[in-house]
Amino acid sequence: MKALKERIMRDGKCFDGGILKVDNFINHQMDPILMKSMAVEFVRRFASTDINKVLTVEASGIAPAIMVGYLLELPVVFAKKKEPSTMENMLATSVFSFTKNTSYTVCVSADYLRPGDRVLFIDDFLANGNAAKGILELAEKAGATVAGMGFLIEKAFQHGGDELRALGIHVESLAIIESLDNCQIKLRD
Amino acid sequence: MKALKERIMRDGKCFDGGILKVDNFINHQMDPILMKSMAVEFVRRFASTDINKVLTVEASGIAPAIMVGYLLELPVVFAKKKEPSTMENMLATSVFSFTKNTSYTVCVSADYLRPGDRVLFIDDFLANGNAAKGILELAEKAGATVAGMGFLIEKAFQHGGDELRALGIHVESLAIIESLDNCQIKLRD
């Protein structure tokens, strides 16, 4: 998606260790007009996919997910990264974060991820795909189907996308980073 | 706001200790159509307020804030509840949560909350107002002005709203809970 790629090249900041910071328009400050345009692009790419719910993980996934849900007029559920004491019928899984070198829990209530649900999962980044695989696990526990996964930015060199596609998941990423070697952002055309 | 009040009465769940759960349409599963309607209502209520930025706190504030930012075509910044290792020029403050009986850090980068900014703060709940007071502190540190504060739900019996209004802040809440005594939801007309 052209507008996103241009924005990454303009405002993305590259750090050692394959880190891309997009704090200026996605992860801390958000550009709502761009968010809406990205949501429209997801709607287009998943136009022939049968879904009844949008699913994301707090916190940076919420903005693109709510825009997609708004356009499709579908409920949006955000999985939580810690276990709220008041959550009923909790489904949980553990996700290992390479970036932070630690595991965290992702949980969702079975009240809102239900047998038969066909969910579109939306998130900001796809890197090694551990969070996405956690979502697949939660969906399986719930008896729900992940009908598609949409990411704003995929880091192709961390291969999570390859793994998800090999599982037969319909994955769409709006911008794909081939490499961040030598702190140069190299986008796939 | 009528649609929100009706939804609270229909889907809100009351628990001991003055806890209102709105996980069905705000805090876990979200209703994007209602989110947009609530954002429109904020735009109306702050129509005569000069603002250049929307500010919120992760995670439940993000959805209403991005909708307000989208309607007003303004950038939206979400303050974070833990200190990211990569945040530059961090402004931080400590917020005590009565609900959880513990303190947490709220932080924002001075790159995105700047001197002269006039921000509209949007959040899901206003209870004792500690999070909101933390935001006032962050804004002061940044040299920014909080031009208004909009909440989806205010728990009047926890008096944060009284304190903020006494400070001269323009506070708007779309639904005001008078009491949750005996687990009965009593809304202000």
Side-chain angles (χ1 to χ4, degrees):
Chain A
M1 189 197 167
K2 196 163 166 275
L4 175 59
K5 289 179 184 175
E6 286 173 358
R7 190 66 179 267
I8 290 170
M9 294 313 290
R10 200 183 81 196
D11 289 332
K13 286 186 193 173
C14 195
F15 290 82
D16 279 336
I19 294 171
L20 175 68
K21 251 181 88 174
V22 288
D23 269 16
N24 177 286
F25 57 103
I26 292 177
N27 291 122
H28 187 18
Q29 178 168 266
M30 305 180 289
D31 177 343
I33 306 296
L34 179 63
M35 282 292 173
K36 196 272 288 176
S37 303
M38 295 189 291
V40 169
E41 181 65 17
F42 281 131
V43 169
R44 210 180 60 76
R45 295 196 188 191
F46 291 103
S48 54
T49 305
D50 176 26
I51 54 173
N52 72 323
K53 196 168 279 179
V54 178
L55 180 64
T56 187
V57 181
E58 62 179 357
S60 296
I62 294 177
I66 196 84
M67 284 293 181
V68 172
Y70 176 64
L71 294 171
L72 296 175
E73 302 190 2
L74 293 177
V76 179
V77 174
F78 66 93
K80 307 205 174 190
K81 281 187 180 166
K82 50 188 178 192
E83 307 175 22
S85 55
T86 56
M87 188 184 282
E88 295 162 296
N89 306 317
M90 188 172 74
L91 305 171
T93 191
S94 180
V95 171
F96 182 74
S97 164
F98 277 107
T99 326
K100 293 173 185 163
N101 196 31
T102 177
S103 289
Y104 60 94
T105 298
V106 174
C107 60
V108 69
S109 168
D111 294 348
Y112 304 121
L113 187 61
R114 303 180 67 89
D117 273 347
R118 294 184 54 84
V119 305
L120 173 59
F121 177 68
I122 297 287
D123 209 357
D124 55 342
F125 271 94
L126 170 60
N128 51 62
N130 282 0
K133 282 177 260 175
I135 290 296
L136 293 175
E137 227 180 282
L138 288 181
E140 201 184 334
K141 285 184 187 185
T145 301
V146 175
M149 293 188 142
F151 302 92
L152 305 183
I153 301 175
E154 175 177 344
K155 291 166 158 179
F157 58 94
Q158 291 179 329
H159 302 296
D162 298 342
E163 289 185 54
L164 295 175
R165 291 180 184 99
L167 292 172
I169 310 282
H170 177 187
V171 177
E172 294 283 350
S173 302
L174 304 187
I176 298 181
I177 315 280
E178 289 289 5
S179 142
L180 294 171
D181 291 349
N182 306 314
C183 281
Q184 294 284 328
I185 302 171
K186 210 175 136 193
L187 286 170
R188 186 175 295 177
D189 275 336
Chain B
M1 188 197 168
K2 195 164 168 275
L4 174 60
K5 289 180 183 174
E6 287 173 358
R7 191 66 179 266
I8 291 169
M9 294 313 289
R10 200 184 80 194
D11 288 333
K13 283 186 194 174
C14 195
F15 289 82
D16 278 337
I19 293 170
L20 176 67
K21 250 181 86 174
V22 288
D23 268 16
N24 178 286
F25 57 103
I26 292 177
N27 291 123
H28 188 17
Q29 177 168 265
M30 305 181 288
D31 177 342
I33 306 297
L34 179 63
M35 283 293 174
K36 196 273 288 176
S37 303
M38 295 190 290
V40 169
E41 181 65 16
F42 282 131
V43 169
R44 208 179 62 75
R45 294 195 188 192
F46 291 103
S48 55
T49 306
D50 177 26
I51 53 174
N52 71 324
K53 197 169 277 179
V54 177
L55 180 64
T56 187
V57 182
E58 63 180 356
S60 295
I62 293 177
I66 196 83
M67 284 293 181
V68 171
Y70 175 65
L71 294 171
L72 296 175
E73 301 191 3
L74 293 176
V76 179
V77 175
F78 65 93
K80 308 205 174 191
K81 281 187 181 167
K82 51 189 174 190
E83 306 175 24
S85 55
T86 56
M87 188 183 283
E88 295 162 297
N89 305 316
M90 189 172 74
L91 305 170
T93 191
S94 181
V95 170
F96 182 75
S97 164
F98 276 107
T99 325
K100 294 173 185 166
N101 196 31
T102 177
S103 287
Y104 60 95
T105 298
V106 173
C107 60
V108 70
S109 168
D111 295 348
Y112 305 120
L113 188 60
R114 303 179 67 88
D117 272 348
R118 294 184 54 83
V119 305
L120 173 58
F121 176 68
I122 297 288
D123 209 355
D124 55 340
F125 270 94
L126 170 60
N128 52 62
N130 281 1
K133 282 178 260 174
I135 289 296
L136 292 175
E137 228 180 281
L138 288 181
E140 201 184 336
K141 286 184 186 185
T145 302
V146 175
M149 294 187 141
F151 302 91
L152 304 183
I153 300 174
E154 175 177 344
K155 290 167 158 178
F157 59 93
Q158 290 179 327
H159 302 297
D162 298 341
E163 289 184 54
L164 295 175
R165 291 180 183 98
L167 293 171
I169 310 281
H170 177 185
V171 177
E172 293 283 350
S173 303
L174 304 187
I176 298 180
I177 314 279
E178 289 288 6
S179 139
L180 294 171
D181 291 350
N182 306 314
C183 282
Q184 293 284 327
I185 303 171
K186 211 177 136 191
L187 287 169
R188 186 175 295 175
D189 278 335

